[in-house]
Amino acid sequence: MADVLPLVEARLHSALGEPDARAAVTFLGTDRIEVLRFPAAGQEGDVVRYATLGMSAQPMADPTAALADPVKGPRAELLLSVRAGAADTDKVLRPLAVLAASPQVEGVIVAPGASLDVGEPLWPGAPFTSVLVAEPGGLVEDLELDAPMEAVRFLPLLPMTPNEAAWKRVHGAPALQERWLNHGTDLRDPSRRPVPLD
């Protein structure tokens, strides 16, 4: 089986350019997770992007399965886009690595529509402690792998305030995304106010 991570990193570079920083985090009993920082460039000159590298090395296993399949199963990496300069968002590296390690640590499958909570602000002073996993395919295309391996999907993360996360649990992800859209919410603003939920 081909080593997946060099292919994943090449896909990230082709879609986002060259990273200007990277950090590695290793949790007990897990593979190393790196987080790459891609500087603001091009038309969206003020948006910095963070991408995990390492989550896709192993397929995510169904937590109810007796034995994890080492080859088959969904694979993913996480992407976060925020406006640069308005907050110390580089401190998001460790929380992102924690989220990327969650399939190995907690046996969860990260998929669009899921909520992921780190239990603390995503960066100092952030009004967000959790994220909504959005649909892949917009920013970085899926990376097809040789069968029987599934494609690596690059899942965008949308920061949620605690109230938004609670509202989403009741009403669902599509309803929250529609509310953000209707109110013109800038989901890349690192210090944005919560969307009206009444």
Side-chain angles (χ1 to χ4, degrees):
M1 287 294 163
D3 187 0
V4 172
L5 296 185
L7 302 174
V8 170
E9 185 164 2
R11 174 58 56 90
L12 287 170
H13 287 209
S14 68
L16 303 176
E18 288 297 312
D20 65 352
R22 61 198 304 153
V25 182
T26 306
F27 302 99
L28 193 62
T30 68
D31 296 329
R32 184 168 106 141
I33 303 284
E34 286 190 275
V35 180
L36 281 55
R37 179 185 188 272
F38 294 89
Q43 295 172 322
E44 297 178 293
D46 63 343
V47 176
V48 62
R49 306 190 193 282
Y50 302 91
T52 63
L53 179 64
M55 181 178 172
S56 62
Q58 308 288 334
M60 292 182 275
D62 183 342
T64 61
L67 202 60
D69 190 311
V71 178
K72 292 181 184 173
R75 294 175 191 257
E77 296 290 353
L78 307 176
L79 297 170
L80 177 70
S81 301
V82 289
R83 299 209 178 282
D88 189 6
T89 55
D90 282 351
K91 295 287 197 308
V92 79
L93 299 179
R94 184 170 175 82
L96 272 182
V98 168
L99 296 179
S102 61
Q104 288 186 61
V105 175
E106 299 170 27
V108 296
I109 292 181
V110 177
S115 301
L116 303 175
D117 197 316
V118 293
E120 60 186 34
L122 292 175
W123 51 83
F128 321 106
T129 59
S130 62
V131 292
L132 174 65
V133 182
E135 290 290 337
L139 193 58
V140 183
E141 286 184 26
D142 292 355
L143 172 64
E144 298 295 334
L145 300 174
D146 293 338
M149 293 191 288
E150 292 186 28
V152 177
R153 304 168 87 198
F154 297 88
L155 302 172
L157 301 179
L158 308 175
M160 293 188 291
T161 67
N163 282 351
E164 289 170 343
W167 196 87
K168 179 255 173 188
R169 279 194 295 274
V170 175
H171 299 280
L176 178 59
Q177 288 177 295
E178 187 176 333
R179 191 159 279 255
W180 280 335
L181 193 63
N182 291 342
H183 285 84
T185 305
D186 181 2
L187 296 172
R188 294 171 176 171
D189 180 351
S191 51
R192 71 170 177 85
R193 299 183 60 77
V195 71
L197 297 170
D198 48 4

